[in-house]
Amino acid sequence: LVAAAVPPRASEKERVRVLVEAGADAIVLNASQGDSAGQVEFLKWLKHEYPTVDVVCGNVVTPRQAKPLLDAGADGLRVGMGCSSLYSTKEVIAVGRPQGSAVYHVAKFAKEYGVPVIADGGIQHSGHVSMALALGASTVMCGALLAGTEEAPGDAFWHGGQRLKVYRGLGALELEGGKIAHGGVPCAVVDRGSASALVANITEGVRRDLRRLGCVNVAQLHEDMYSSAVRFHVRTAGCRGVAFAAPVA
């Protein structure tokens, strides 16, 4: 499957037409705040013109934000605001929500519509992927995690005996003169080798976690979570483990 990102603006309608004709399987509406009249109207237009093309909307972090998009026909939702490794919304603009809470509440609400959600932001290893799935997400977005792979775009260089790659992230915009717009900052990430090897390693880690929970697939994981067969214990802020909330079979 191949998806293409498009800003939800009227000026992008021609771009959508070209992408659909080129064979795009899905259109992702790219906006940091998905609960807007502009995105809802663009979604309605897109579903009317191309009813067979799936549309992923977002970003949202609450059921109230998700409802207008779901009512307008969204086929998927991106969940996350201010939780990316390079996106400093909560610190700079004081907007956002803890990712675990956002994924759980939005996924539970979207389940009533039969719409899957994507956990967008903060994924650093396979344990975070498993946590997102256990909270109701159907899949995840990986930016910094895959940015250091050979296949990812970005200039590579050596520093301190390590091979690094420049990563700006989806929320970072480098302006003229080297200045960075608020919301994201560029950095360098360690080279991770081949994406195929990294993805295989992450996938095996997720399989391991599901086996430990007694689940054969993500659908069963969700069913067990909503039926309380899988429960969570919350750790204190002083804990420095892999995650502050861990699923328990």
Side-chain angles (χ1 to χ4, degrees), residues 27-248:
I27 299 295
V28 180
L29 300 187
N30 188 27
S32 59
Q33 158 61 309
D35 182 23
S36 66
Q39 182 159 157
V40 171
E41 291 304 314
F42 194 87
L43 170 61
K44 290 179 179 178
W45 168 83
L46 208 160
K47 295 302 293 184
H48 178 267
E49 294 294 323
Y50 309 101
T52 61
V53 176
D54 287 340
V55 183
V56 179
C57 301
N59 283 33
V60 297
V61 292
T62 66
R64 186 177 68 177
Q65 290 179 315
K67 189 176 188 306
L69 299 172
L70 293 170
D71 290 339
D75 299 294
L77 292 175
R78 287 195 302 160
V79 178
M81 193 178 295
C83 58
S84 170
S85 61
L86 290 186
Y87 208 67
S88 52
T89 310
K90 288 186 291 186
E91 288 75 19
V92 177
I93 313 174
V95 176
R97 188 181 192 185
Q99 183 70 336
S101 297
V103 170
Y104 173 77
H105 290 290
V106 175
K108 185 177 180 180
F109 182 74
K111 182 175 179 287
E112 300 175 8
Y113 291 78
V115 172
V117 305
I118 304 169
D120 180 11
I123 303 295
Q124 299 175 2
H125 46 68
S126 63
H128 286 159
V129 178
S130 301
M131 181 63 64
L133 298 176
L135 287 167
S138 294
T139 187
V140 299
M141 290 188 68
C142 300
L145 186 62
L146 298 176
T149 59
E150 299 172 358
E151 295 84 352
D155 297 328
F157 61 96
W158 289 88
H159 178 74
Q162 284 187 314
R163 188 173 188 270
L164 308 175
K165 294 189 72 172
V166 176
Y167 172 53
R168 292 186 173 85
L170 299 177
L173 176 63
E174 186 168 0
L175 305 178
E176 187 175 356
K179 295 181 179 180
I180 304 299
H182 283 302
V185 290
C187 73
V189 293
V190 177
D191 182 275
R192 292 178 179 270
S194 170
S196 59
L198 178 61
V199 170
N201 181 269
I202 294 171
T203 303
E204 182 54 37
V206 173
R207 289 197 185 103
R208 174 203 62 208
D209 291 336
L210 262 65
R211 286 196 299 267
R212 288 176 175 176
L213 290 170
C215 300
V216 297
N217 51 40
V218 175
Q220 183 185 348
L221 178 62
H222 289 172
E223 182 180 341
D224 288 353
M225 187 265 292
Y226 288 120
S227 66
S228 297
V230 169
R231 294 174 292 176
F232 294 81
H233 72 267
V234 180
R235 302 173 183 173
T236 66
C239 176
R240 292 295 180 264
V242 174
F244 290 110
V248 180

